Amino acid sequence: MNQTINQNLGQTIKLNDPSLLQTQAFIDGQWINADSNETLPVINPANNQLLASVAKCGQSETRRMIDAAHRAQKLWATTTAKERARLLRNWYELIINNQEDLAQIITAEQGKPLSESRAEITYGSNYVEWFSEEAKRIYGDLIPAPTANKRLMVLKQPVGVVACITPWNFPNAMLTRKIAPALAAGCTVVCKPASATPLSALALVYLAEKAGIPKGVVNIVVGNTQEIGDELTSNPLVKKLTFTGSTQIGKQLIEKCADTVKRTSMELGGNAPFIVFENADIDAAVEGAVASKYRNAGQTCVCSNRLLVQASVYEEFTKKLALAVKLLKLGNGSDNNTNIGPLIDKKAAEDVCNLIDDAVSKGAQIVTGGARAEAGDNFVQPTILTDVSPEMRLFSEEIFGPVAPLIKFETEEEAVELANDTEFGLAAYFYSQNNNQIWRVSEQLEFGIVGVNEGIISNEMAPFGGIKESGQGREGSKYGLDDYLELKYVCLGGIE
């Protein structure tokens, strides 16, 4: 049955390997339908056409996945680090070998341009490669003892079964950023991708199985969000939950995990400032602003949300940014000439337009864009607003769309104060050519990530994560394993 479905799907999404399009849940090494035989539609946001119908699972399937992951974890934890590294490397190579197919799937279900989808596959696979190498570098410690007849040791051991909940904006990379370190540490996972973009996750687990990762180590469930989430947060066999998504949902998950005292790591909402000082290279700042603000149609948690520009260069920056934005081509992501695709759905487009309307009603001026696009219900024109002030909703709310609000400031102190005036603390950016200013501002900004003279900041070698209400924990880098490991202190006495 699944083979026939995949062949039909292959006519909608042209793939070299149609078997990458899976529509069933993956439990304990088996592809299954939902117990209820219900399915969930997957829609192409560029044209609102049905791409596929995937198994709509719930509590019972999720519980079986957790049980399977728990059984598999005991064996996986005793697998040598070198063997785990080998299997992760196999997975990485399969992802790279299928990069174009995986990119086609992302563009079809999420909408971003193919160039960005290809970049996401590279970015996501880099985490698998990185943690395949870090798996062999989980070191403990030998601590100098207080007496000669003791030895004090610190061991690092896997947390156990990990629940991974990921969003729709990066349906490949958000999963690899969580699964790869968990597996490297010796944990098993139960993953719930976003209902809007499950095909990328199912393709990833298909390749993980093909790479030789044992059954039960990676499980994927799609379906009833409430039932799945309640089971993942309440089941005592789940020892850790990692989530990427909104701050509101993150708080709810933390609260639900408290009953079983699960470890949590949260990558939540953002409200990133992008500061342009008067001594900045304005052309470079414009290039960085376009990359940061309009990538994935503004649907990234680290994209610039507020552009703070010093008064003396405000007009110059605005004019140059407007020229650059007017060159962007909006359309179906499968068109190689497209720079900006659709938002994920009609509601998302409506929400962004409501933020624009609110700002305009309170005095903001539209430089370019400012409305829905003719391409379809889910498209919003790339927009620039000037005369933006703090009382407008988009100053404090995450826009998650292709809208750049420009705010004028006079002094460095004012810029830092405006930038920090938010409960969020994920990413911040600024452009300056003054080394003293670079040090001062970098240290004063209350954010987990700071980009200086750079609009694209994320990579597998650096720790990604926020402070304040933007979350807890870090993904990537040598620090990325810490969230999946427990420290065990062993005191060995009676040594002569």
Side-chain angles (χ1 to χ4, degrees), residues 170-408:
F170 288 89
N172 179 288
M174 295 299 97
L175 264 184
T176 58
R177 285 200 337 194
K178 298 180 186 301
I179 296 176
L183 267 56
C187 302
T188 57
V189 296
V190 176
C191 304
K192 188 217 168 292
S195 297
T197 56
L199 300 178
S200 292
L202 295 169
L204 273 176
V205 76
Y206 170 81
L207 292 177
E209 178 189 28
K210 196 172 179 180
I213 294 174
K215 69 176 185 177
V217 172
V218 180
N219 306 272
I220 300 283
V221 60
V222 182
N224 187 308
T225 298
Q226 186 70 49
E227 288 188 19
I228 295 170
D230 286 347
E231 185 63 30
L232 291 176
T233 53
S234 65
N235 194 308
L237 297 181
V238 175
K239 302 303 181 184
K240 172 186 169 59
L241 184 139
T242 172
F243 170 74
T244 298
S246 72
T247 296
Q248 177 187 1
I249 300 300
K251 289 178 178 179
Q252 294 173 12
L253 292 172
I254 291 171
E255 184 177 0
K256 290 181 177 181
C257 286
D259 285 343
T260 49
V261 197
K262 299 188 196 305
R263 289 181 61 177
T264 60
S265 56
M266 298 280 157
E267 199 266 279
L268 307 177
N271 187 0
F274 186 104
I275 308 171
V276 182
F277 289 105
E278 60 187 358
N279 59 58
D281 179 331
I282 300 300
D283 291 333
V286 167
E287 182 180 353
V290 171
S292 172
K293 174 70 259 184
Y294 296 102
R295 181 169 59 102
N296 199 19
Q299 299 172 118
T300 80
C301 55
V302 294
C303 78
S304 302
N305 211 61
R306 298 166 293 151
L307 281 69
L308 312 176
V309 186
Q310 199 151 16
S312 58
V313 294
Y314 187 85
E315 294 300 327
E316 179 187 0
F317 179 83
T318 301
K319 289 178 181 178
K320 289 185 173 181
L321 181 63
L323 289 173
V325 169
K326 288 176 182 178
L327 293 175
L328 297 176
K329 181 179 178 182
L330 187 147
N332 192 314
S334 61
D335 181 349
N336 283 321
N337 295 320
T338 293
N339 301 118
I340 296 185
L343 300 190
I344 190 63
D345 55 30
K346 185 177 180 180
K347 183 182 182 302
E350 290 173 348
D351 289 345
V352 171
C353 288
N354 287 338
L355 288 174
I356 296 172
D357 292 343
D358 171 79
V360 171
S361 72
K362 296 173 181 175
Q365 302 298 312
I366 298 173
V367 176
T368 186
R372 300 283 272 275
E374 296 179 357
D377 289 342
N378 304 338
F379 290 84
V380 174
Q381 297 171 350
T383 298
I384 299 173
L385 300 174
T386 56
D387 298 333
V388 172
S389 54
E391 65 268 15
M392 299 172 187
R393 286 176 53 203
L394 48 66
F395 182 87
S396 57
E397 296 181 25
E398 190 171 21
I399 299 171
F400 238 62
V403 181
L406 272 58
I407 301 154
K408 188 183 297 183

Side-chain angles (χ1 to χ4, degrees), residues 32-38 56-57 60-61 64:
I32 67 161
N33 292 322
D35 292 347
S36 64
N37 283 321
E38 289 186 86
K56 184 180 180 181
C57 298
S60 59
E61 298 93 338
R64 296 205 305 275

